[in-house]
Structure formats: C-alpha cells, structure tokens
Amino acid sequence: MKLTNTSEYALRILTYMAKDPAQLYSAKSLVEKLNISDKYLRRLMTTLSKQGFIYSIQGREGGYSFRKEPSEIRLADVVDAVEGMDTYAGCVLGFEECSCENPCVMHATWIKVREEFLSVFTNTTLADIDFEQAKRY
Amino acid sequence: MKLTNTSEYALRILTYMAKDPAQLYSAKSLVEKLNISDKYLRRLMTTLSKQGFIYSIQGREGGYSFRKEPSEIRLADVVDAVEGMDTYAGCVLGFEECSCENPCVMHATWIKVREEFLSVFTNTTLADIDFEQAKRY
DNA sequence: ATAATATACTACTCTATTGTAGCATTTATT
DNA sequence: AATAAATGCTACAATAGAGTAGTATATTAT
Ligand code: SF4
Ligand code: SF4
C-alpha cells in the first residue's frame, strides 16, 4: 500500500499550500519547508501547473499559487496527474483484464481494500484536510 | 495501492497451490500455469522455502509443497517475507517517524485506508480464499 | 539597460526492482 | 555408473523511478 515518492511529494506540497491557499509559494520556500530535492520539486511543480492545479508565475517575485479551489482538488486527481491511478484502481495481482464476473483468486479479499482506498481518495479534497491537528507536512 | 511484482507473484503462486494443498508442484508446472518468468519464479520459490512456507524437494520428481498449513499463512506474512510490510504498515507520505500524537497532514485521511489494508491482509489466510468463484490465478 | 531572482527545459546519473544466463547440485530411474 | 529431470546459486542485464547538473528563459527592481 504505497504511493510513489512523486505522489507523496505532490500530496505534501499541495496539502501544505492548501493550509493557506491564497498565498504565493516560491519553489525555494517549499523546498525548505518540505525537504524535497530542489530540482525534482521544480519539475514536479511544472507538471502540477500543466495539469491545471496551480499557476506558475515566472520571473522575480514569481512562484506558485492555486488555480483550482482546494475544495475542487481530490486526492485521487493529484495521484492521477503525477503517476496515474490505473494501478490503484486495478487489480492487486496486476491482471490486465478484470471484471467482477471474471474474478481472480484474490478478488473477494482485495476488493474491500481497493474500495476503501478509492472512496477515501476520491471523496477527500484538499479542503477536507484537518489542518488543525497536523504537525507535519 | 500497489504491491511489488514479487509480492503479486508470491501471492499468486501460494494461492494457486493452496487450492489443492497436498499436491507437489514443480517449478515447470507453476511457470506454465501462472505465466511467470522461469528463473525469477525459481528464485522466489527458494525464498519462500527458506522463509518456511513451503518445502522444496530437489532432484528428479522434485518440486514444492506446503510446509505450513495454508490456514496458518496470512497474506501479510507472505508480503512481509518477500518485500517487507514496513512500507505498508507505515505512512502514506513516507515519513520515517510517525505517531498518532505527531500526525502529518494526511494522517486522519490515510489511517482509514491503512487499517483496512492491514486488517484484511493480517486476517486473511490462504485457507480463507474463495476458490470456487476464482477464475484466474 | 542591467542585475537579481525566479521558473522551464533537456539530458544525464543513480538506484532498486525485475528479469536472464549459465552452471552447479540433487535424486529417481535405468 | 550413467542419464535425465528436477531445484540452487551467482553474477549479470534491462528497466523504471528518483534525483542532479547546467543552461535557457522570464520578470521585476533599480
Ligand atoms: S478480480 Fe479483483 S483481484 Fe482479481 S484481477 Fe480483477 S480486480 Fe484484481
Ligand atoms: S501521522 Fe499517519 S499519515 Fe502522517 S506520517 Fe504518521 S502514519 Fe503517515
């Protein structure tokens, strides 16, 4: 039950920004706060920008800010944008073609976990995060 | 929400064997049935053998059979043996040190998924599989 | 205009997982 | 004993994800 580092980064960045969504965040400040490799973060921000989650403002005094409302950004959207949700929406056992009519041996077991994951990640938006209790990003 | 290929293989192999647990299975027959790379499967079988799940019988007419009862092999044990459960038992965001007293921003969201995964994988054994409905391995 | 400070892009390196090749070892059959 | 058919082992190759380096481009303050 693991996301790629890239998804972890994307979620950490966007949830961090969502705590104070009006602000403009420089790559530098995000790198310092979140301890993510500078160049990798920048590349990821460009992806998130092209995917429509954030604006990127170039030049001096530039940075990143939300393009969509945090309440319109579901966790699943973020994961989907940076690594794809296919593997998570699909089969534990990695089978390509699958349906509940043609189940594999793990299906009944797996489906419970998968549904929980999908329902949490599609029903939670960046605005639903409990920022009060969070002590780290 | 993904296991490594190795874990997928291990689960497919052991669930397949658990359907008829008394039988002796050759690597060759498993490779044919399950469509897993020959050498990789053999190496994995050695691991599963050393971890105590199965016997390996060398020589002509050799093969693999269960050492433990399928009812004593939990899915989590299998995953733990071949890739480790640490990343799954741990944090979505990949934080090393974590506690519910020092939660990260995703904690409340994440914990629901993690608990479902852990509870299913620790409470399901190879004997709990519904082999009747399974159409693929 | 120029310098300073920010993001964008391209190509490369590093690493862990996954997969392959080849030979060694074991054991039943003959 | 020789052969055949099975597993065991070690080292290497291929791949994909993660991270780095260096340069180009954009914008603002002066
Ligand atoms: S039936 Fe379920 S577990 Fe099996 S291949 Fe399809 S999604 Fe995966
Ligand atoms: S509090 Fe929960 S989500 Fe946060 S780091 Fe710990 S386990 Fe992960």
Side-chain angles (χ1 to χ4, degrees), chain A residues 90-93 95 98-99 102-107 110 114, chain B residues 136:
Chain A
C91 170
V92 226
L93 297 187
F95 285 118
C98 147
S99 68
N102 190 29
C104 78
V105 72
M106 287 281 293
H107 186 69
W110 176 244
R114 191 177 75 182
Chain B
R136 44 167 74 185

Side-chain angles (χ1 to χ4, degrees), chain A residues 2 93, chain B residues 2-14 36 40-54 73-88 117 121:
Chain A
K2 209 171 37 177
L93 297 187
Chain B
K2 209 172 36 175
L3 304 171
T4 60
N5 282 13
T6 306
S7 286
E8 291 177 7
Y9 292 161
L11 289 172
R12 288 176 56 207
I13 292 164
L14 292 178
I36 298 171
Y40 203 65
L41 178 136
R42 291 177 125 84
R43 196 164 68 182
L44 183 50
M45 296 311 277
T46 304
T47 303
L48 293 175
S49 166
K50 289 189 173 168
Q51 296 280 349
F53 298 114
I54 55 178
I73 299 177
R74 301 173 299 172
L75 303 183
D77 297 335
V78 177
V79 174
D80 198 28
V82 300
E83 67 155 325
M85 279 291 286
D86 307 19
T87 55
Y88 303 107
F117 176 89
F121 271 63

Side-chain angles (χ1 to χ4, degrees), chain A residues 1-4 7-9 11-12 15-16 75 83 87-88 91-99 101-110 112-114 116-118 120-121 124 128-131 133-137, chain B residues 1-4 7-8 11-12 15-16 75 83 87-88 91-99 101-110 112-118 120-121 124 128-131 133-137:
Chain A
M1 178 113 55
K2 209 171 37 177
L3 304 171
T4 60
S7 286
E8 292 178 6
Y9 291 162
L11 288 172
R12 288 177 57 209
T15 51
Y16 176 71
L75 302 184
E83 69 156 322
T87 55
Y88 303 106
C91 170
V92 226
L93 297 187
F95 285 118
E96 291 286 332
E97 294 146 27
C98 147
S99 68
E101 288 77 41
N102 190 29
C104 78
V105 72
M106 287 281 293
H107 186 69
T109 302
W110 176 244
K112 288 185 288 183
V113 179
R114 191 177 75 182
E116 180 69 21
F117 176 88
L118 290 179
V120 167
F121 270 63
T124 306
D128 298 325
I129 301 290
D130 180 356
F131 295 104
Q133 74 155 41
K135 299 193 178 163
R136 44 167 74 183
Y137 294 88
Chain B
M1 179 112 56
K2 209 172 36 175
L3 304 171
T4 60
S7 286
E8 291 177 7
L11 289 172
R12 288 176 56 207
T15 50
Y16 176 72
L75 303 183
E83 67 155 325
T87 55
Y88 303 107
C91 171
V92 227
L93 297 187
F95 284 119
E96 291 286 332
E97 296 145 26
C98 145
S99 68
E101 289 77 42
N102 191 29
C104 79
V105 74
M106 286 281 294
H107 185 69
T109 302
W110 176 243
K112 289 186 287 184
V113 179
R114 189 178 77 181
E115 291 309 310
E116 181 68 21
F117 176 89
L118 290 180
V120 168
F121 271 63
T124 307
D128 298 325
I129 300 290
D130 181 356
F131 296 103
Q133 74 155 41
K135 299 192 177 165
R136 44 167 74 185
Y137 291 89

Side-chain angles (χ1 to χ4, degrees), chain B residues 65-79:
Chain B
S65 68
F66 278 108
R67 184 189 302 246
K68 285 186 179 177
E69 292 294 317
S71 62
E72 287 171 358
I73 299 177
R74 301 173 299 172
L75 303 183
D77 297 335
V78 177
V79 174

